[in-house]
């Protein structure tokens, strides 16, 4: 969004590049930018290899805070359409933002769509002092993920590593214990 100008878009790009460089081999990725509209780096999920990661990084380095408002629900709708139905594929999404979203119910509804029939986890990285922690915690809770926050002047390396460690670890989605 336009509010990501200056240091915040730099932090978002830095964290995104760090995430991409940390992806395990044999995984797939894509990057969806959003504002008043959305844009996907690739038409589909790409294999994690040196060529695809380099291409993604080159594109990310050109990102600007020029997509208008903050409407992640449109990017989430696109994401939900990209997830194979009834898939056992483990899907991890990281939502990077600096602020507030006005239509939280629509965002939560779209996260529900992403989670249908898939093993999905949605983590959040909030950048800047004006980022709504309540909003991101609600999104992360709905997406079985974590919300992590980085102030404008903080080094985000530790925050990104925190999300990576949690997102790459196993978790129990549902559990039933029976005893007699």
């Amino acid at each position: 969004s336009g509010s990501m100008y200056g240091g915040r878009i730099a932090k978002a790009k830095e964290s995104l590049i760090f995430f991409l460089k940390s992806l395990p081999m044999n995984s797939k990725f894509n990057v969806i930018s959003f504002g008043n509209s959305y844009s996907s780096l690739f038409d589909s999920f790409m294999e994690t290899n040196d060529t695809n990661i380099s291409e993604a990084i080159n594109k990310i380095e050109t990102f600007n805070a020029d997509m208008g408002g903050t409407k992640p629900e449109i990017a989430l709708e696109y994401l939900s359409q990209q997830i194979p139905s009834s898939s056992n594929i483990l899907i991890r999404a990281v939502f990077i933002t600096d602020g507030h979203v006005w239509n939280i119910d629509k965002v939560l509804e779209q996260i529900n769509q992403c989670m249908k029939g898939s093993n999905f986890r949605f983590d959040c990285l909030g950048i800047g002092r004006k980022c709504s922690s309540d909003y991101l915690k609600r999104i992360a809770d709905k997406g079985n993920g974590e919300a992590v926050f980085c102030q404008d002047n903080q080094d985000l390396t530790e925050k990104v590593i925190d999300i990576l460690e949690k997102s790459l670890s196993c978790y129990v989605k549902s559990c039933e214990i029976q005893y007699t």
Side-chain angles (χ1 to χ4, degrees):
S1 66
S3 64
M4 291 286 286
Y5 65 90
R8 291 187 184 145
I9 192 69
K11 279 193 178 292
K13 293 189 310 188
E14 180 185 347
S15 64
L16 190 49
I17 290 168
F18 194 76
F19 279 119
L20 289 174
K21 288 181 176 181
S22 302
L23 288 173
M25 288 303 179
N26 301 321
S27 61
K28 293 185 177 188
F29 74 96
N30 203 349
V31 176
I32 305 168
S33 303
F34 65 90
N36 285 328
S37 61
Y38 74 90
S39 175
S40 178
L41 271 189
F42 302 103
D43 292 332
S44 62
F45 290 102
M46 302 297 288
E47 294 288 333
T48 301
N49 61 43
D50 291 339
T51 301
N52 291 339
I53 296 292
S54 292
E55 183 180 349
I57 290 171
N58 288 337
K59 290 178 179 180
I60 290 165
E61 288 174 342
T62 68
F63 282 7
N64 291 306
D66 59 0
M67 294 185 80
T70 306
K71 295 183 179 177
E73 64 270 17
I74 57 176
L76 288 168
E77 182 177 3
Y78 171 77
L79 175 61
S80 70
Q81 295 167 359
Q82 301 303 306
I83 298 170
S85 60
S86 67
S87 172
N88 286 334
I89 297 170
L90 180 62
I91 298 172
R92 302 287 196 238
V94 179
F95 176 50
I96 303 171
T97 186
D98 73 334
H100 303 273
V101 172
W102 309 114
N103 197 350
I104 185 72
D105 292 333
K106 185 69 174 166
V107 171
L108 296 175
E109 178 184 317
Q110 288 301 324
I111 291 173
N112 272 339
Q113 289 298 316
C114 290
M115 296 180 76
K116 283 186 177 176
S118 66
N119 190 358
F120 186 87
R121 187 170 180 168
F122 198 86
D123 296 299
C124 299
L125 174 60
I127 297 174
R129 63 181 172 79
K130 292 186 178 181
C131 189
S132 172
S133 60
D134 291 339
Y135 159 67
L136 288 185
K137 286 177 183 175
R138 283 183 67 193
I139 290 174
D141 285 345
K142 182 63 121 181
N144 295 322
E146 298 287 330
V148 176
F149 303 92
C150 182
Q151 296 304 316
D152 289 322
N153 58 351
Q154 279 184 305
D155 177 27
L156 59 76
T157 306
E158 181 182 316
K159 306 293 183 173
V160 172
I161 290 171
D162 188 36
I163 290 175
L164 281 167
E165 286 176 346
K166 290 175 182 172
S167 72
L168 295 175
S169 64
C170 295
Y171 72 100
V172 176
K173 186 173 180 179
S174 63
C175 180
E176 182 179 322
I177 300 172
Q178 296 180 358
Y179 64 94
T180 56

